[in-house]
Amino acid sequence: MKSQKSNMWLLVAALILSVSSAGAVEFDWAVIDNAGNAGDNTGYGAVAYEYRVATTEVTAAQYVEFLNAVAATDTYGLYNPSMNGSVYQGIIRSGDSGSYTYTANAGYGDRPVVFVSWYNALRFANWMQNGQPTGLQNASTTEYGVYDMTLGGLDIARLDGAQVWLPNENEWYKAAYYDPINGVYYDYATGTDSLPNNNLPESDTGNSVNYNDALGEPYNTTEVGAYEDSASPYGTYDQSGNVWEWIEDLDGYKCVLRGSSYARDASYLPSSYRISDTPGGGYSDAGFRIASSLSYEYDPFSSSIPEPMSMVLLLLSIVSLVLRRARKA
């Protein structure tokens, strides 16, 4: 009997651990140190503190986890129908409002998510800050945390106490182009002033990025981090090419994007190049990456209990009932 009880509780413990970690969105981080560095001749790159930047862009699979957590009823349009359109078929939505579910299409999961707006990216950061909770799109999930989305328009700014956020232009720029060992900035996010080639990842020369339609349809984008030998000095990938990345900063009535994309030619790749676009837009060659504090760590128990946990709680109740009956037998 004692052995039977031990086995039951070991099974329950294993189920709890597996469910609590299932679907967790986690990133590899590059620590951006050398606080207090000067900017370069463009005026960008000076950051007075240490922080971290995700080594890769947010992928379609990671965004699917986000959608399945908060977009069963997609109040604020986190899913763009073009995510499964004629140009890009990365994310499929099934069902009806109130019971939507999402899956990454075969071959797209490890590629950067695109057709996300600036607002989408901010809400993703809120969700990460709040512990990746499950539920409606409200203050506890997507509408508050790092950013107060109720302000609307272009009044949204990073709040104090942020643990996860969309990098501002100086943070993004430093992670991409600054060499902390030599104290210099490079023209490209591969640690060089020489124009990168657009070889495919299997022919990565250490200065290769995805631009000028190197890969072609249907994917266009390469898997994040595929250019393993072409990292920035800090160890980030694809900050030149692959997809444009939304930046936290505003440029007048628009929002900044950096890094160029698979669809642009070499003239868009240098660090001096930046564009801006409307915050509500979603484009086939634009995605984002996130930044965090040095102390940020995903805690699956820091948010409201997600739906899968209710199944574990039910299982605990059933096991407890079985054990009580076994004791009486």
Side-chain angles (χ1 to χ4, degrees), residues 58-250:
V58 175
T59 66
Q62 290 168 328
Y63 200 78
V64 161
E65 296 292 343
F66 172 51
L67 291 173
N68 280 324
V70 300
T73 302
D74 192 11
T75 308
Y76 295 105
L78 301 179
Y79 180 78
N80 184 330
S82 294
M83 290 177 176
N84 189 30
S86 58
V87 176
Y88 174 81
Q89 295 88 37
I91 300 176
I92 302 167
R93 179 164 72 181
S94 305
D96 299 313
S97 181
S99 59
Y100 286 138
T101 59
Y102 304 85
T103 55
N105 210 348
Y108 285 90
D110 291 330
R111 301 175 196 273
V113 64
V114 295
F115 287 110
V116 288
S117 70
W118 184 71
Y119 297 121
N120 294 154
L122 299 187
R123 287 186 163 102
F124 183 92
N126 276 348
W127 178 69
M128 293 286 294
Q129 169 92 3
N130 291 332
Q132 304 182 28
T134 297
L136 297 176
Q137 293 166 21
N138 56 34
S140 69
T141 57
T142 63
E143 301 310 293
Y144 195 82
V146 185
Y147 307 99
D148 184 354
M149 303 305 295
T150 65
L151 297 174
L154 297 175
D155 293 327
I156 303 167
R158 190 188 306 176
L159 301 172
D160 292 340
Q163 292 294 304
V164 186
W165 61 85
L166 196 65
N168 65 31
E169 196 157 13
N170 284 322
E171 292 166 345
W172 192 97
Y173 194 95
K174 180 178 178 178
Y177 306 117
Y178 187 65
D179 181 346
I181 295 176
N182 297 307
V184 298
Y185 286 87
Y186 294 110
D187 288 337
Y188 303 98
T190 53
T192 180
D193 291 328
S194 300
L195 176 67
N197 60 60
N198 65 341
N199 292 352
L200 295 181
E202 55 266 29
S203 301
D204 184 0
T205 65
N207 188 26
S208 304
V209 302
N210 181 17
Y211 69 97
N212 207 26
D213 290 313
L215 185 63
E217 294 182 350
Y219 299 121
N220 294 315
T221 58
T222 50
E223 293 184 356
V224 299
Y227 289 102
E228 294 180 354
D229 297 323
S230 296
S232 75
Y234 276 115
T236 64
Y237 300 94
D238 302 317
Q239 286 194 264
S240 286
N242 218 23
V243 296
W244 291 102
E245 297 181 19
W246 287 108
I247 303 297
E248 188 182 64
D249 298 62
L250 303 177

Side-chain angles (χ1 to χ4, degrees), residues 1 4-5 8-9 313-329:
M1 178 61 186
Q4 182 182 12
K5 288 171 63 177
M8 280 186 169
W9 286 112
L313 294 175
L314 176 60
L315 179 60
L316 284 170
S317 299
I318 293 172
V319 170
S320 179
L321 178 61
V322 169
L323 289 175
R324 285 199 301 271
R325 290 181 175 177
R327 283 196 296 268
K328 292 178 180 179

Side-chain angles (χ1 to χ4, degrees), residues 12 16 50 63 198 241 259 287 302 326:
V12 171
I16 291 172
E50 293 187 0
Y63 200 78
N198 65 341
S302 66

Side-chain angles (χ1 to χ4, degrees), residues 33-65:
D33 53 14
N34 196 44
N37 64 298
D40 73 354
N41 58 9
T42 68
Y44 296 107
V47 183
Y49 45 85
E50 293 187 0
Y51 60 103
R52 300 186 302 187
V53 168
T55 59
T56 56
E57 297 143 339
V58 175
T59 66
Q62 290 168 328
Y63 200 78
V64 161
E65 296 292 343

